[in-house]
Every structure is written in structure tokens, then in C-alpha cells.
């Protein structure tokens, strides 16, 4: 029997996706870091325009989550539709799609 130890660091950089998806009004983005690293998470609209930067700084090794409340960088509620979030860290770049329903 193998037991999961939540006190250990993950072995690889991993984006687990956002939950729920589709969402309204909030979604949580989960990601794993095998070691301390600079992390950048940005939300984009369908045209590739930056909607909001969620994370831009160092994060420790471990299991992380970040909530997006469907608001832009000015604090305004965004329209329903398809959005993308991109996570950059230590040479890794991952982009995923999410759907905001209203």
C-alpha cells in the first residue's frame, strides 16, 4: 500500500486545470511546483488580450491554487465567454481554456 504524503513536494511541474469549468463566478487554478520558482499566471481573452495577471512572483515548492473571480485588472466583471490562462515557470509554459457562464 502506497500512502500519499501531502507534506512532500511534487516531482514535476503540473497544471491540474481549473475547477469548476465552466464556472460562475469563481474558478480555482491548481498547479504543482517541484521546487521554488518564479511563477507568472495571466488570464487572456479570445483575442489574446491580457485580462488580468493573477500571480507574478516567487512561489515555494508544493501544491498551489489560485482563484480567479472573473474580474479584469481594473476590478470590472468580465463578459461571459471563453478565456485562457497561461502559467509560466522555470522554462515551462502551459496554456489552458476555461469557460465563464453567466
Amino acid at each position: 500500500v502506497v500512502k500519499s504524503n501531502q507534506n512532500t513536494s511534487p516531482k514535476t511541474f503540473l497544471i491540474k486545470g481549473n475547477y469548476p469549468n465552466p464556472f460562475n463566478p469563481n474558478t480555482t487554478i491548481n498547479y504543482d511546483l517541484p521546487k521554488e520558482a518564479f511563477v507568472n499566471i495571466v488570464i487572456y481573452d479570445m483575442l489574446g488580450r491580457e485580462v488580468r495577471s493573477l500571480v507574478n512572483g516567487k512561489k515555494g515548492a508544493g501544491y498551489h491554487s489560485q482563484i480567479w473571480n472573473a474580474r479584469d485588472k481594473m476590478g470590472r466583471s468580465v463578459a461571459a465567454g471563453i478565456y485562457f490562462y497561461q502559467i509560466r515557470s522555470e522554462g515551462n509554459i502551459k496554456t489552458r481554456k476555461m469557460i465563464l457562464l453567466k
Side-chain angles (χ1 to χ4, degrees), residues 28-48:
T28 302
I29 300 167
N30 295 303
Y31 62 99
D32 299 348
L33 294 176
K35 62 181 182 177
E36 180 181 67
F38 187 88
V39 175
N40 182 266
I41 302 176
V42 179
I43 308 294
Y44 295 97
D45 66 14
M46 283 290 296
L47 299 176

Side-chain angles (χ1 to χ4, degrees), residues 50-63:
E50 182 177 320
V51 173
R52 184 167 180 188
S53 175
L54 294 180
V55 176
N56 192 28
K58 278 209 171 206
K59 294 287 183 180
Y63 304 92

Side-chain angles (χ1 to χ4, degrees), residues 63-94:
Y63 304 92
H64 299 274
S65 41
Q66 182 66 46
I67 295 172
W68 182 43
N69 61 0
R71 295 193 175 273
D72 68 12
K73 54 188 157 195
M74 302 299 287
R76 299 173 297 216
S77 185
V78 299
I82 297 173
Y83 292 87
F84 298 92
Y85 61 95
Q86 184 174 77
I87 299 181
R88 295 174 182 242
S89 178
E90 300 286 312
N92 294 294
I93 301 174
K94 305 274 186 188

